[in-house]
Amino acid sequence: MLETHSSRAVVLRWRAYGDSDKIATLLSEDFGKLTGIAKGARNSRRRFPNSLEPLARVRVRFRQRPGAGLAFLESAELLAPTTPFAEPVRFAYGSYLIELADRMTLEDEPARDRYALLAEALDELERGPATTAFLRAFELQLLSHAGFEPQLERCARCERAWRDDETAWLSLHHGTLACGPCRPTDEAPLEVAAALLARLERLKSQPLASARATPFAAMAAEAALLTGRLLALHLARPLQSVKLIEQLARRPA
Protein backbone atom coordinates (compact mmCIF):
# COMPACT_ATOMS: atom_id res chain seq x y z
CA MET A 1 0.00 0.00 0.00
CA LEU A 2 1.27 3.47 -0.86
CA GLU A 3 2.30 5.77 1.98
CA THR A 4 0.11 8.80 2.68
CA HIS A 5 1.97 12.11 2.76
CA SER A 6 0.84 15.34 4.38
CA SER A 7 1.98 18.91 3.82
CA ARG A 8 0.85 22.49 3.99
CA ALA A 9 0.14 23.84 0.52
CA VAL A 10 -1.37 26.66 -1.52
CA VAL A 11 -3.87 25.76 -4.24
CA LEU A 12 -2.73 27.22 -7.56
CA ARG A 13 -5.47 26.03 -9.93
CA TRP A 14 -7.92 23.24 -10.66
CA ARG A 15 -10.00 21.86 -13.51
CA ALA A 16 -13.01 19.59 -13.66
CA TYR A 17 -12.53 15.93 -14.52
CA GLY A 18 -15.55 13.80 -15.26
CA ASP A 19 -18.80 14.48 -13.46
CA SER A 20 -17.55 14.94 -9.92
CA ASP A 21 -13.74 14.92 -9.78
CA LYS A 22 -11.17 17.70 -9.77
CA ILE A 23 -7.57 17.77 -10.91
CA ALA A 24 -5.78 20.31 -8.75
CA THR A 25 -2.27 21.74 -8.79
CA LEU A 26 -0.78 22.86 -5.48
CA LEU A 27 2.49 24.34 -4.28
CA SER A 28 3.37 22.36 -1.16
CA GLU A 29 5.85 23.11 1.57
CA ASP A 30 7.45 19.67 1.68
CA PHE A 31 6.94 18.17 -1.79
CA GLY A 32 7.14 21.12 -4.18
CA LYS A 33 4.55 21.56 -6.90
CA LEU A 34 2.25 18.60 -7.33
CA THR A 35 -0.83 17.82 -9.36
CA GLY A 36 -3.37 15.31 -8.16
CA ILE A 37 -6.84 13.98 -8.74
CA ALA A 38 -9.45 14.53 -6.05
CA LYS A 39 -12.17 11.93 -6.53
CA GLY A 40 -15.63 13.29 -5.85
CA ALA A 41 -14.24 16.70 -4.83
CA ARG A 42 -16.97 18.65 -6.58
CA ASN A 43 -19.55 17.03 -4.29
CA SER A 44 -17.58 16.26 -1.12
CA ARG A 45 -17.99 18.62 1.83
CA ARG A 46 -16.13 16.33 4.22
CA ARG A 47 -12.80 15.60 2.49
CA PHE A 48 -12.68 18.80 0.39
CA PRO A 49 -14.78 21.47 2.14
CA ASN A 50 -14.33 24.33 -0.38
CA SER A 51 -10.61 23.71 0.02
CA LEU A 52 -9.47 23.22 -3.58
CA GLU A 53 -10.22 26.72 -4.80
CA PRO A 54 -7.31 28.87 -6.04
CA LEU A 55 -5.65 30.86 -3.22
CA ALA A 56 -6.77 28.36 -0.57
CA ARG A 57 -4.13 27.51 2.03
CA VAL A 58 -4.60 23.92 3.06
CA ARG A 59 -3.09 20.86 4.62
CA VAL A 60 -3.23 18.28 1.86
CA ARG A 61 -3.02 14.51 2.32
CA PHE A 62 -2.09 12.49 -0.76
CA ARG A 63 -0.61 9.29 -2.08
CA GLN A 64 1.59 9.03 -5.16
CA ARG A 65 3.07 6.10 -6.98
CA PRO A 66 6.75 6.64 -7.95
CA GLY A 67 6.95 7.95 -11.50
CA ALA A 68 3.20 8.59 -11.71
CA GLY A 69 2.10 11.88 -13.21
CA LEU A 70 -0.88 12.38 -10.89
CA ALA A 71 -1.09 12.04 -7.13
CA PHE A 72 -4.24 10.77 -5.45
CA LEU A 73 -5.54 13.52 -3.19
CA GLU A 74 -7.21 12.04 -0.11
CA SER A 75 -8.25 15.27 1.60
CA ALA A 76 -7.48 18.97 1.90
CA GLU A 77 -8.09 20.74 5.20
CA LEU A 78 -8.66 24.47 4.85
CA LEU A 79 -6.16 26.35 7.05
CA ALA A 80 -7.12 29.93 6.17
CA PRO A 81 -10.39 31.26 4.75
CA THR A 82 -10.40 32.53 1.17
CA THR A 83 -13.05 35.16 1.95
CA PRO A 84 -10.51 38.06 2.09
CA PHE A 85 -9.83 37.41 -1.60
CA ALA A 86 -13.47 37.80 -2.58
CA GLU A 87 -12.84 41.52 -3.08
CA PRO A 88 -12.06 41.92 -6.83
CA VAL A 89 -8.77 43.84 -6.63
CA ARG A 90 -7.38 41.61 -3.89
CA PHE A 91 -8.46 38.54 -5.85
CA ALA A 92 -6.74 39.87 -8.98
CA TYR A 93 -3.42 40.46 -7.22
CA GLY A 94 -3.69 37.16 -5.35
CA SER A 95 -4.23 35.45 -8.69
CA TYR A 96 -1.12 37.18 -10.00
CA LEU A 97 0.96 35.87 -7.10
CA ILE A 98 -0.14 32.25 -7.47
CA GLU A 99 0.04 32.26 -11.27
CA LEU A 100 3.57 33.64 -11.19
CA ALA A 101 4.65 31.11 -8.54
CA ASP A 102 3.08 28.35 -10.63
CA ARG A 103 4.94 29.38 -13.79
CA MET A 104 8.27 29.77 -11.98
CA THR A 105 8.17 26.31 -10.38
CA LEU A 106 8.62 22.94 -12.03
CA GLU A 107 7.06 19.79 -10.66
CA ASP A 108 9.39 17.35 -8.86
CA GLU A 109 11.82 20.08 -7.76
CA PRO A 110 12.34 21.30 -4.18
CA ALA A 111 10.37 24.50 -3.67
CA ARG A 112 10.18 25.09 0.08
CA ASP A 113 11.52 28.61 -0.43
CA ARG A 114 8.88 29.44 -3.04
CA TYR A 115 6.11 28.02 -0.87
CA ALA A 116 7.29 30.14 2.07
CA LEU A 117 7.44 33.26 -0.11
CA LEU A 118 3.97 32.68 -1.57
CA ALA A 119 2.43 31.98 1.84
CA GLU A 120 4.07 35.14 3.21
CA ALA A 121 2.79 37.16 0.24
CA LEU A 122 -0.80 35.93 0.64
CA ASP A 123 -0.73 36.70 4.36
CA GLU A 124 0.58 40.18 3.61
CA LEU A 125 -1.98 40.77 0.85
CA GLU A 126 -4.74 40.03 3.34
CA ARG A 127 -3.37 42.79 5.59
CA GLY A 128 -3.16 45.57 3.03
CA PRO A 129 -3.04 46.64 -0.61
CA ALA A 130 -0.53 45.39 -3.15
CA THR A 131 1.91 48.30 -3.28
CA THR A 132 4.58 48.71 -5.95
CA ALA A 133 7.32 47.76 -3.47
CA PHE A 134 5.42 44.67 -2.27
CA LEU A 135 4.94 43.37 -5.82
CA ARG A 136 8.50 44.12 -6.93
CA ALA A 137 9.90 42.44 -3.80
CA PHE A 138 7.83 39.32 -4.46
CA GLU A 139 8.90 39.19 -8.11
CA LEU A 140 12.61 39.66 -7.40
CA GLN A 141 12.65 37.15 -4.56
CA LEU A 142 10.75 34.62 -6.67
CA LEU A 143 13.29 35.03 -9.49
CA SER A 144 16.08 34.44 -7.00
CA HIS A 145 14.49 31.31 -5.53
CA ALA A 146 13.93 29.94 -9.05
CA GLY A 147 17.64 30.33 -9.84
CA PHE A 148 17.35 33.51 -11.93
CA GLU A 149 18.51 36.15 -9.44
CA PRO A 150 19.20 39.39 -11.35
CA GLN A 151 22.48 41.23 -10.74
CA LEU A 152 21.40 44.78 -9.95
CA GLU A 153 24.38 46.20 -8.08
CA ARG A 154 26.97 46.51 -10.84
CA CYS A 155 27.69 46.26 -14.54
CA ALA A 156 27.55 42.66 -15.72
CA ARG A 157 30.50 43.22 -18.07
CA CYS A 158 33.10 45.35 -16.29
CA GLU A 159 31.66 44.63 -12.78
CA ARG A 160 31.88 48.26 -11.73
CA ALA A 161 29.35 49.34 -9.10
CA TRP A 162 26.86 51.99 -10.17
CA ARG A 163 27.24 55.66 -9.31
CA ASP A 164 24.14 57.21 -7.76
CA ASP A 165 23.47 59.50 -10.73
CA GLU A 166 24.29 56.93 -13.40
CA THR A 167 22.14 55.35 -16.09
CA ALA A 168 22.30 51.57 -16.62
CA TRP A 169 21.12 49.63 -19.65
CA LEU A 170 19.15 46.37 -19.49
CA SER A 171 19.63 43.83 -22.27
CA LEU A 172 16.17 42.62 -23.24
CA HIS A 173 17.66 39.42 -24.66
CA HIS A 174 19.79 38.39 -21.69
CA GLY A 175 18.37 40.26 -18.68
CA THR A 176 21.78 41.70 -17.77
CA LEU A 177 22.62 45.30 -16.93
CA ALA A 178 25.53 47.25 -18.39
CA CYS A 179 27.05 50.68 -17.91
CA GLY A 180 27.30 53.23 -20.75
CA PRO A 181 30.73 52.13 -22.06
CA CYS A 182 29.69 48.44 -21.92
CA ARG A 183 26.24 49.05 -23.39
CA PRO A 184 25.43 46.51 -26.14
CA THR A 185 25.33 48.00 -29.61
CA ASP A 186 23.44 45.21 -31.37
CA GLU A 187 20.09 45.84 -29.63
CA ALA A 188 17.95 48.58 -28.12
CA PRO A 189 18.39 48.09 -24.35
CA LEU A 190 16.09 49.50 -21.69
CA GLU A 191 17.35 52.60 -19.89
CA VAL A 192 17.28 52.26 -16.08
CA ALA A 193 18.27 54.75 -13.37
CA ALA A 194 20.92 53.46 -10.96
CA ALA A 195 18.94 55.00 -8.07
CA LEU A 196 16.05 52.66 -8.92
CA LEU A 197 18.36 49.65 -9.05
CA ALA A 198 19.61 50.41 -5.54
CA ARG A 199 16.05 50.35 -4.18
CA LEU A 200 15.23 47.14 -6.03
CA GLU A 201 18.41 45.47 -4.78
CA ARG A 202 17.32 46.07 -1.18
CA LEU A 203 13.92 44.49 -1.91
CA LYS A 204 15.61 41.20 -2.84
CA SER A 205 16.30 40.40 0.81
CA GLN A 206 13.61 42.30 2.72
CA PRO A 207 10.61 40.64 4.38
CA LEU A 208 7.54 41.56 2.36
CA ALA A 209 5.95 43.33 5.33
CA SER A 210 8.81 45.82 5.62
CA ALA A 211 9.32 46.03 1.85
CA ARG A 212 5.73 47.22 1.40
CA ALA A 213 6.53 50.75 2.59
CA THR A 214 9.57 51.35 0.35
CA PRO A 215 8.83 54.60 -1.56
CA PHE A 216 8.90 54.54 -5.36
CA ALA A 217 6.72 57.54 -6.30
CA ALA A 218 7.65 58.62 -9.83
CA MET A 219 9.75 55.49 -10.41
CA ALA A 220 6.87 53.04 -9.89
CA ALA A 221 6.17 52.54 -13.61
CA GLU A 222 9.87 52.16 -14.38
CA ALA A 223 10.23 49.56 -11.61
CA ALA A 224 7.27 47.54 -12.93
CA LEU A 225 8.64 47.68 -16.47
CA LEU A 226 12.06 46.46 -15.37
CA THR A 227 10.86 43.48 -13.31
CA GLY A 228 8.31 42.69 -16.00
CA ARG A 229 11.11 42.43 -18.57
CA LEU A 230 13.16 40.22 -16.25
CA LEU A 231 10.22 37.89 -15.66
CA ALA A 232 9.29 37.73 -19.35
CA LEU A 233 12.62 36.05 -20.10
CA HIS A 234 11.43 33.01 -18.13
CA LEU A 235 7.72 32.92 -19.03
CA ALA A 236 6.55 31.06 -22.12
CA ARG A 237 3.40 33.16 -22.45
CA PRO A 238 1.76 36.21 -20.84
CA LEU A 239 0.04 35.82 -17.48
CA GLN A 240 -3.76 35.75 -17.54
CA SER A 241 -3.96 37.54 -14.19
CA VAL A 242 -2.24 40.61 -15.66
CA LYS A 243 -5.20 41.09 -18.00
CA LEU A 244 -7.58 40.98 -15.03
CA ILE A 245 -5.53 43.59 -13.15
CA GLU A 246 -5.51 45.84 -16.23
CA GLN A 247 -9.28 45.49 -16.63
CA LEU A 248 -9.85 46.49 -13.01
CA ALA A 249 -7.52 49.46 -13.40
CA ARG A 250 -9.65 50.72 -16.30
CA ARG A 251 -12.90 50.28 -14.39
CA PRO A 252 -14.60 53.54 -13.40
CA ALA A 253 -14.17 54.41 -9.71
Side-chain angles (χ1 to χ4, degrees):
M1 181 176 292
L2 295 177
E3 180 183 0
T4 295
H5 302 288
S6 174
S7 178
R8 293 187 297 178
V10 176
V11 180
L12 303 176
R13 50 189 162 90
W14 71 271
R15 60 183 173 87
Y17 185 79
D19 293 331
S20 62
D21 304 338
K22 286 184 177 182
I23 292 179
T25 298
L26 306 94
L27 183 60
S28 74
E29 182 175 31
D30 301 307
F31 301 93
K33 188 166 80 170
L34 63 93
T35 298
I37 185 166
K39 304 293 289 184
R42 293 161 69 187
N43 300 322
S44 173
R45 297 186 181 277
R46 182 175 60 86
R47 292 183 299 119
F48 304 102
N50 298 318
S51 57
L52 287 182
E53 295 302 313
L55 296 168
R57 281 156 287 175
V58 302
R59 177 165 292 280
V60 64
R61 291 171 57 85
F62 69 96
R63 290 179 279 128
Q64 188 165 29
R65 192 178 304 279
L70 284 179
F72 178 80
L73 305 182
E74 295 182 346
S75 64
E77 175 192 357
L78 194 62
L79 299 180
T82 57
T83 47
F85 297 104
E87 192 272 323
V89 173
R90 191 163 292 173
F91 173 78
Y93 281 108
S95 298
Y96 175 73
L97 299 178
I98 61 173
E99 186 179 12
L100 194 54
D102 187 4
R103 296 280 197 90
M104 298 294 287
T105 308
L106 299 175
E107 296 206 21
D108 300 321
E109 71 170 340
R112 183 179 287 267
D113 50 5
R114 274 158 282 182
Y115 166 81
L117 177 65
L118 180 58
E120 178 189 3
L122 293 177
D123 285 344
E124 191 60 29
L125 188 58
E126 283 191 7
R127 298 187 186 104
T131 66
T132 291
F134 166 78
L135 293 170
R136 305 299 77 87
F138 177 83
E139 294 161 349
L140 290 168
Q141 292 178 32
L142 185 62
L143 281 167
S144 298
H145 293 326
F148 306 120
E149 181 177 0
Q151 172 58 259
L152 305 178
E153 293 181 292
R154 60 190 71 249
C155 174
R157 296 192 177 187
C158 70
E159 299 189 347
R160 178 179 60 78
W162 310 118
R163 298 187 303 271
D164 291 343
D165 60 347
E166 190 171 4
T167 294
W169 304 88
L170 175 72
S171 167
L172 302 182
H173 297 317
H174 307 291
T176 54
L177 287 151
C179 62
C182 296
R183 174 183 172 181
T185 57
D186 59 342
E187 61 172 297
L190 179 69
E191 185 177 350
V192 186
L196 171 61
L197 294 175
R199 295 188 190 187
L200 292 175
E201 177 63 28
R202 289 191 291 272
L203 293 181
K204 286 164 56 176
S205 57
Q206 274 188 281
L208 298 181
S210 59
R212 172 190 292 282
T214 300
F216 275 87
M219 292 190 290
E222 186 179 1
L225 179 60
L226 174 60
T227 57
R229 294 289 192 177
L230 292 172
L231 289 166
L233 292 169
H234 310 290
L235 300 174
R237 59 189 185 280
L239 300 173
Q240 292 297 313
S241 52
V242 171
K243 298 179 182 178
L244 177 58
I245 292 170
E246 292 173 345
Q247 290 171 0
L248 290 172
R250 294 194 296 266
R251 189 177 62 178

